[in-house]
Amino acid sequence: MLAKDILIDGFGRVREEVHTAVGGLAPEGLNARPGEDANSVSWLVWHLTRVQDDHVADAAGTEQVWLTGDWAKRFGLDLPRADTGYGHTSAKVARVRVESGDLLLGYYDAVHERTLEFIGGLAAHDFERVVDERWDPPVTLGVRLISVLSDDLQHVGQAAYARGLVQMS
């Protein structure tokens, strides 16, 4: 099995879990915060998607789906267009509200497809390409993609947990 096949499988598993966490929830459930400073399902899925979109676009040398697909306008968030949610305060988390799960899943699926397209076109030597020299050691494409996958898995697990808490109340 090739590294790209493993990554494609991993991102496919994230997609399954994103759809499970979001599917069937009304806007009230998507936007509910299980605690005063807790993250909502909508924020968690939006954030993991924004980070994936940002990082994959940067590595691929392309524009983010958020901008080219007009998703920033469709979401209409009171945040800068380039915001990914990194370092958000509780007040900023509260600004990420969605009107429907379909909107959230539409954006996620568009980013997912772009990610698979990018990974599917990679050769084994591509994973060694340095994509970020601000770290010691510098970050390779392979390490960056694993980092995104890890972040996605953590946040989608949190979204599933938040969904469970919201449904219990």
Side-chain angles (χ1 to χ4, degrees), residues 97-118:
R97 300 184 59 77
V98 297
E99 297 302 317
S100 76
D102 289 342
L103 177 66
L104 199 54
L105 292 175
Y107 174 50
Y108 175 80
D109 285 343
V111 170
H112 177 74
E113 288 306 314
R114 173 73 63 83
T115 300
L116 295 190
E117 180 182 300
F118 173 63

Side-chain angles (χ1 to χ4, degrees), residues 53-169:
D53 191 7
D54 174 76
H55 286 29
V56 171
D58 182 60
T62 61
E63 291 290 322
Q64 295 177 29
V65 173
W66 181 250
L67 304 173
T68 62
D70 213 21
W71 291 101
K73 184 177 180 181
R74 291 188 225 182
F75 274 72
L77 302 177
D78 181 24
L79 296 168
R81 286 172 47 92
D83 198 329
T84 64
Y86 182 77
H88 266 191
T89 62
S90 183
K92 283 189 176 179
V93 168
R95 292 184 195 170
V96 178
R97 300 184 59 77
V98 297
E99 297 302 317
S100 76
D102 289 342
L103 177 66
L104 199 54
L105 292 175
Y107 174 50
Y108 175 80
D109 285 343
V111 170
H112 177 74
E113 288 306 314
R114 173 73 63 83
T115 300
L116 295 190
E117 180 182 300
F118 173 63
I119 294 171
L122 296 173
H125 68 272
D126 293 325
F127 293 103
E128 297 302 319
R129 178 173 56 92
V130 172
V131 295
D132 192 344
E133 294 185 0
R134 296 174 295 172
W135 300 91
D136 186 18
V139 177
T140 63
L141 177 59
V143 168
R144 175 59 44 88
L145 291 171
I146 288 295
S147 175
V148 171
L149 181 59
S150 172
D151 189 66
D152 282 359
L153 289 167
Q154 291 176 60
H155 287 312
V156 78
Q158 293 165 348
Y161 184 72
R163 178 189 175 114
L165 292 174
V166 166
Q167 288 181 314
M168 284 177 30
S169 57

